[in-house]
Amino acid sequence: MLADPVPLGFVFRSRAKEEKAPADKAPVTDSKVTRDPQAPKGRPTPKRSEAQTQRRSVAQTPTTRKEAAKRQRDDRRAAMERQRQALASGDERYLPVRDKGKVRRFARDYVDSRLCIAELFLPLAVIILMLSVVPVAVLKNVALLLWLVVIVMIVVDSFVIAIRLRKQLNARFPDENTKGAVRYALMRTLQMRRLRLPKPQVKRGERP
């Protein structure tokens, strides 16, 4: 007995209708939701401030090697100017690394608040040299003796400063790293007060 014939419509049915069928089941999106035409698909629209910042950064980005070199020179010059002003005013934000921190600031103030023998070395050295070139034996002997006296006074004064400053640092900054602060202060004593950088922020006799 023959099986029922298969309808011709089933064999020759168009595949286009089958392919289009799933498309009718796609989720319907709300057409009322607006999107920035410049925003990428699948991402939220950036805020106006963020977009302005991004455009500004893109506009300031150098496009050539010459522009990049010029930008670096300008930035370096601006940084040096800020550092120069900080050395004069004592602004902690732009000081060199070796001068930053409350420990180094206290060491500077401790030295600047007193008269150090080492800062008188240059003027005393000029006087001693003038005496040593005079063709008088007595003056030459006096100059030699003054050399010895000045050197001994500087060593003793520096030793006293180092001991007292170390005690002050240990008492005031027990939890801070004070390594190198005493040496930093002693190097500052070798400079005349008006030539010190950063500029002194305390007067003589004023306790830091």
Side-chain angles (χ1 to χ4, degrees), residues 123-144:
L124 290 176
V126 173
I127 296 174
I128 293 173
L129 287 176
M130 292 176 62
L131 292 176
S132 63
V133 297
V134 177
V136 179
V138 176
L139 294 179
K140 290 185 177 181
N141 293 333
V142 170
L144 180 60

Side-chain angles (χ1 to χ4, degrees), residues 3-204:
D4 296 337
V6 180
L8 295 178
F10 178 80
V11 177
F12 297 99
R13 185 169 56 181
S14 175
R15 293 184 179 180
K17 294 181 179 180
E18 295 180 356
E19 295 175 355
K20 292 180 180 179
D24 298 337
K25 299 180 182 180
V28 179
T29 57
D30 189 359
S31 60
K32 295 181 181 180
V33 179
T34 59
R35 183 179 62 85
D36 188 349
Q38 296 181 355
K41 294 182 179 180
R43 298 180 185 177
T45 303
K47 297 181 179 180
R48 179 177 297 179
S49 59
E50 296 177 355
Q52 290 178 352
T53 303
Q54 185 177 5
R55 287 196 297 267
R56 191 179 300 112
S57 61
V58 172
Q60 293 179 353
T61 303
T63 57
T64 63
R65 183 178 300 178
K66 185 177 180 180
E67 291 180 0
K70 183 178 182 300
R71 178 71 57 80
Q72 291 179 356
R73 289 195 300 270
D74 294 341
D75 294 344
R76 193 182 305 114
R77 191 178 298 111
M80 292 179 63
E81 179 61 22
R82 288 194 300 267
Q83 188 177 101
R84 186 188 65 81
Q85 295 178 359
L87 289 172
S89 62
D91 191 348
E92 288 281 345
R93 295 175 299 173
Y94 304 114
L95 285 177
V97 177
R98 66 182 181 87
D99 298 316
K100 282 186 176 181
K102 52 187 177 181
V103 174
R104 296 299 174 97
R105 182 181 181 87
F106 178 81
R108 293 195 303 269
D109 292 344
Y110 184 86
V111 170
D112 297 336
S113 63
R114 56 175 293 157
L115 176 64
C116 303
I117 305 299
E119 67 181 283
L120 303 177
F121 175 77
L122 288 179
L124 290 176
V126 173
I127 296 174
I128 293 173
L129 287 176
M130 292 176 62
L131 292 176
S132 63
V133 297
V134 177
V136 179
V138 176
L139 294 179
K140 290 185 177 181
N141 293 333
V142 170
L144 180 60
L145 181 61
L146 285 177
W147 271 122
L148 296 176
V149 171
V150 169
I151 292 175
V152 171
M153 291 178 62
I154 291 176
V155 171
V156 173
D157 188 55
S158 299
F159 184 74
V160 173
I161 291 176
I163 293 178
R164 292 180 177 177
L165 178 57
R166 192 178 299 279
K167 289 183 179 179
Q168 291 284 339
L169 291 174
N170 293 335
R172 289 174 178 258
F173 310 102
D175 299 328
E176 298 287 338
N177 182 14
T178 60
K179 183 178 180 180
V182 174
R183 182 172 62 252
Y184 172 79
L186 293 179
M187 293 298 296
R188 189 173 176 85
T189 61
L190 297 175
Q191 304 170 351
M192 298 181 66
R193 181 182 173 87
R194 67 181 61 183
L195 301 179
R196 292 172 182 171
L197 291 175
K199 293 289 186 181
Q201 303 297 316
V202 296
K203 298 179 181 180
R204 292 192 190 276

